[in-house]
Amino acid sequence: MIPDKLDAQQEIQIWDGEKITLVPHPPSFSSRSYACATLVHERRVHTYISPSSSSNNNNNNNNNNDDDRIRFERVEHVPLILIFGGKSNGYRNDLHAFEPEKRMMYPMETKGTPPTARYGMSCVTFRNNMYVFGGYDKDGFLCNDCFVFETASSTWNSFALRGAVPSARLGHTAVVMGANIMVIYGGKGEKNATLQDMHGINLETGECHKYKHHHSAALPGPRQNHACVAVNEDTMILIGGSTGAAGDAVANMKDNNNNNNNERDDSVHAFSLGDNWHKVSLQSVSPPLLNRESHASVFTGSSILVF
């Protein structure tokens, strides 16, 4: 029997079913929900210096220096999953890195001013930097601000938005499409409204625009706590979520019984640049993709995995 509510876990599960216990487990990383995560690569330089040829030459003891030593550098780009914020007996704005190859998680030492403690935000990677948008903060406010974490300097900076800035929201999705556009869909807005608008943020200039859809019959409709992945620069896939017809993401998280308040959905929609939506029909899915919300999805290059 599947419980109505699952507690956040401090382990990570990978596709082959093996549970990973974090080694060492960082005390700073508490169980949490509604955090956001994205993949970046950290540049690490390993330096090697050859022994000095003059070090064994007694005739050069008085003039011994490192001029004849050869310096070698090896550069590697280590994949890291950055995990920001979330809800854990309060609100968080800490940043942790999970290094899959070593199965290690550790807190990131950062500079600058991070986003306020919050949950339900979205994040994407662009040019190896992490961009965070929106969420619900510790003071009880929905947010529509944007921050960038610059991985090269481990520095947080506010990222100024202009133009048709998306309204404040949580439980939305964000992916990068085209050359530099962070595409945001849906979420929960003011007065518990479930949103169906879609916005683009230029991650180079901060210029925002709202997409105007011309094929309303194919729209996913109002959606929150759904999943979304970009399968190439021009196409994203939206999966499931809550239509919000009878639900409230914040209220449901406080309701231990939940009582199935949200109208969950199992539909799959595709969007292509050019404002074209269409519904995707799944063929021979077993077990079926049941109605769900607050799930995760990732594109592997040939398949979309949903968990």
Side-chain angles (χ1 to χ4, degrees):
M1 178 177 179
I2 300 175
D4 289 332
K5 183 177 180 180
L6 297 176
D7 293 330
Q9 297 296 311
Q10 293 176 333
E11 292 84 23
I12 293 177
Q13 190 133 358
I14 58 176
W15 173 241
D16 63 5
E18 178 186 359
K19 182 184 289 185
I20 296 178
T21 300
L22 305 180
V23 182
H25 177 73
S28 60
F29 190 77
S30 57
S31 300
R32 63 189 64 196
S33 58
Y34 291 89
C36 68
T38 192
L39 176 68
V40 300
H41 288 80
E42 182 178 76
R43 185 177 186 270
R44 296 180 184 174
V45 179
H46 304 274
T47 303
Y48 308 90
I49 301 177
S50 69
S52 172
S53 60
S54 61
S55 62
N56 296 321
N57 189 341
N58 294 330
N59 295 328
N60 295 327
N61 282 342
N62 294 330
N63 299 313
N64 190 15
N65 56 54
D66 291 335
D67 291 345
D68 61 344
R69 302 181 72 178
I70 301 175
R71 182 187 181 94
F72 301 92
E73 286 189 349
R74 180 173 65 86
V75 178
E76 64 175 340
H77 297 273
V78 179
L80 298 177
I81 299 175
L82 297 183
I83 304 169
F84 172 76
K87 194 172 191 296
S88 173
N89 295 321
Y91 299 77
R92 314 285 304 204
N93 68 340
D94 50 358
L95 184 68
H96 284 74
F98 172 63
E99 194 170 328
E101 293 179 357
K102 294 183 178 179
R103 303 187 177 190
M104 292 179 61
M105 181 177 286
Y106 44 86
M108 295 286 288
E109 295 183 2
T110 67
K111 297 176 288 188
T113 303
T116 55
R118 63 185 67 190
Y119 71 92
M121 56 280 158
S122 62
C123 62
V124 298
T125 299
F126 176 67
R127 293 181 179 170
N128 208 40
N129 294 324
M130 178 187 196
Y131 289 77
V132 175
F133 175 82
Y136 188 83
D137 76 5
K138 62 183 179 62
D139 296 317
F141 293 105
L142 287 171
C143 305
N144 68 339
D145 50 3
C146 188
F147 290 80
V148 56
F149 178 72
E150 299 176 0
T151 57
S153 61
S154 294
T155 302
W156 282 105
N157 286 301
S158 176
F159 185 70
L161 304 180
R162 55 194 177 93
V165 177
S167 60
R169 65 191 65 205
L170 82 158
H172 53 286
T173 51
V175 298
V176 176
M177 298 183 69
N180 54 12
I181 304 299
M182 180 180 184
V183 177
I184 293 169
Y185 187 88
K188 187 177 84 77
E190 299 291 349
K191 298 181 179 179
N192 296 334
T194 301
L195 307 174
Q196 62 176 336
D197 54 348
M198 190 163 77
H199 297 259
I201 299 175
N202 187 311
L203 294 177
E204 292 179 331
T205 66
E207 186 70 31
C208 304
H209 67 275
K210 184 176 181 179
Y211 288 90
K212 297 180 179 179
H213 305 295
H214 304 293
H215 305 284
S216 59
L219 279 174
R223 203 64 57 102
Q224 61 176 289
N225 300 325
H226 47 289
C228 196
V229 293
V231 295
N232 54 48
E233 287 191 353
D234 300 322
T235 305
M236 72 177 190
I237 305 295
L238 186 151
I239 304 167
S242 166
T243 62
D248 173 352
V250 175
N252 284 341
M253 290 193 329
K254 297 177 180 178
D255 179 6
N256 292 329
N257 295 321
N258 200 2
N259 295 324
N260 296 320
N261 288 330
N262 277 355
E263 294 293 332
R264 298 183 180 92
D265 190 89
D266 65 352
S267 63
V268 179
H269 294 77
F271 171 78
S272 299
L273 289 179
D275 299 341
N276 297 315
W277 279 99
H278 67 272
K279 190 169 183 179
V280 178
S281 297
L282 302 180
Q283 303 296 323
S284 302
V285 179
S286 181
L289 183 66
L290 300 175
N291 298 353
R292 65 188 64 207
E293 63 175 316
S294 302
H295 48 294
S297 63
V298 65
F299 181 59
T300 66
S302 59
S303 303
I304 297 175
L305 306 182
V306 179
F307 179 78

